[in-house]
Amino acid sequence: MSPGSITVDQIDKPAEYAAAGIPQFWRIENTTDEVGGLTVFCYRLDATTRSYVPTGAHQGTFQVAAPVEVSLELKTLR
C-alpha cells in the first residue's frame, strides 16, 4: 500500500465492499519487520452494523480456514 492510497485502501474500499455485501476481505500491507515484510489483515462483515470487524492480522504464516482454507508462508511472496 502506497502512502498516497492509505485512506482509500483502509477506509473507502472497505466501506464500498460492505455496502455491496461482500462477506469477508483481506488486505495485504508491506511492513518493515523481520518476519517476512508482509501483514495480511482479515475482516468479516457484521450483519447487524453492515461494517467490517477485524478477525486477525497475520505475519510470518498466513493461515485461515474460512472462507477458504489457506496456509501460506508470507516471506515466500517477497
Side-chain angles (χ1 to χ4, degrees):
M1 185 165 44
S2 69
S5 70
I6 290 174
T7 299
V8 170
D9 293 337
Q10 292 184 354
I11 297 171
D12 298 341
K13 286 182 183 178
E16 290 175 20
Y17 300 158
I22 297 171
Q24 297 192 31
F25 87 94
W26 304 334
R27 188 181 73 243
I28 302 171
E29 292 185 15
N30 288 316
T31 55
T32 56
D33 55 27
E34 62 279 350
V35 294
L38 296 174
T39 302
V40 180
F41 297 91
C42 299
Y43 301 87
R44 71 166 174 78
L45 185 62
D46 181 280
T48 303
T49 64
R50 301 285 295 165
S51 62
Y52 287 108
V53 294
T55 60
H58 305 266
Q59 294 180 318
T61 301
F62 172 50
Q63 188 167 4
V64 294
V68 295
E69 191 170 327
V70 175
S71 181
L72 180 65
E73 291 299 323
L74 295 174
K75 65 183 171 191
T76 64
L77 300 177
R78 292 307 237 138

